[in-house]
Amino acid sequence: MKTKEMDKLMAHFDKYFKQSDCQVLHPLSMTPHIDTLVYKPTSELPYWKLVSMGASDFRMPAKKPFLGDRNEYMMFVDAQEDLTDKETLDRYVMYLMEVAHYPIVNQCYITYGHSVEWKPEENEEMVCAFLEMPQIISDPNVLRCKLGLMKTAVCLQIVLLTKEETEKLLQIGPQQFSYYLYPENGSPRHFICELKRSEKF
């Protein structure tokens, strides 16, 4: 990703997260190179925000109807998780990169309503990532970031799911599952990512 595009992407999330204190994590060895932006919890958005930076360099095979052919991804993590701990942070970054690299490795298109599954390691609860609109952010313009004349990134939210939640997704379908995550009747929303499922979800 070009420096000018990185600056635009960071400015985009600075604007919609209303903070400018992100930490940039550079992978030691990863091809293609995708960075992670880490934003701390704030009073207005009281959870960690993790964002991919560089996934949109891959232009996915286009399908219609579609939001766009380049994605970046964000994840909202429980504020009580200690992301100053490298091992904990690395675990979340691993999940973020699992999704960010999926369309590249498989040369495929993924968007809102799609899911990415993986074989979990021992004692690992999360087995799937569901791609959602970032509805927790009140301004819908967070969804798209214009990086250049012919390059716009669609910024999707990742929601980590357990085996049971993945089975529910498969049973009711992506649209109904989206209503479950972000109900319109004022019920609690389910968008927080955790390594171990709790009542906070």
Side-chain angles (χ1 to χ4, degrees):
M1 199 174 204
K2 297 176 182 177
T3 301
K4 186 179 290 187
E5 293 172 342
M6 292 180 183
D7 291 342
K8 287 182 178 180
L9 190 70
M10 283 191 282
H12 178 82
F13 285 104
D14 285 356
K15 175 182 177 180
Y16 293 105
F17 293 163
K18 299 180 181 179
Q19 58 190 119
S20 56
D21 59 349
C22 76
Q23 175 188 4
V24 182
L25 303 181
H26 302 282
L28 295 178
S29 59
M30 183 186 295
T31 304
H33 183 99
I34 301 176
D35 296 323
T36 302
L37 307 180
V38 182
Y39 289 84
K40 296 177 181 178
T42 61
S43 57
E44 188 164 347
L45 299 174
Y47 31 81
W48 296 90
K49 284 77 72 179
L50 274 61
V51 180
S52 66
M53 184 168 70
S56 57
D57 279 348
F58 176 65
R59 187 175 184 181
M60 298 178 293
K63 290 187 178 181
K64 293 184 179 181
F66 67 103
L67 296 172
D69 55 12
R70 298 177 187 272
N71 290 344
E72 294 290 353
Y73 309 91
M74 67 187 89
M75 178 186 292
F76 304 123
V77 177
D78 179 21
Q80 297 304 311
E81 289 278 47
D82 183 10
L83 296 197
T84 64
D85 175 68
K86 185 179 184 305
E87 185 176 345
T88 304
L89 176 59
D90 285 350
R91 203 73 190 152
Y92 282 105
V93 171
M94 180 200 73
Y95 288 133
L96 181 66
M97 291 299 115
E98 186 83 33
V99 176
H101 281 88
Y102 183 86
I104 303 169
V105 171
N106 294 281
Q107 294 292 298
C108 67
Y109 172 78
I110 61 173
T111 189
Y112 161 73
H114 290 177
S115 57
V116 175
E117 297 183 49
W118 54 82
K119 186 176 180 180
E121 296 180 10
E122 188 175 356
N123 298 319
E124 186 176 342
E125 288 189 19
M126 301 303 148
V127 302
C128 176
F130 179 71
L131 297 184
E132 175 62 273
M133 302 285 193
Q135 298 181 57
I136 198 63
I137 307 299
S138 58
D139 191 333
N141 292 313
V142 69
L143 183 63
R144 285 186 172 85
C145 176
K146 190 171 180 60
L147 300 172
L149 185 62
M150 301 295 289
K151 187 176 182 181
T152 297
V154 176
C155 304
L156 296 171
Q157 177 188 347
I158 293 171
V159 182
L160 298 179
L161 304 178
T162 63
K163 181 180 178 181
E164 292 74 18
E165 291 155 357
T166 303
E167 290 172 352
K168 179 175 182 176
L169 164 63
L170 295 174
Q171 179 183 6
I172 66 176
Q175 191 58 61
Q176 289 300 317
F177 195 77
S178 179
Y179 293 147
Y180 161 71
L181 296 177
Y182 285 105
E184 298 177 353
N185 61 3
S187 299
R189 293 172 291 187
H190 307 280
F191 66 93
I192 287 292
C193 289
E194 303 173 293
L195 296 181
K196 300 292 183 182
R197 181 60 77 227
S198 76
E199 70 283 352
K200 294 177 182 178
F201 181 76

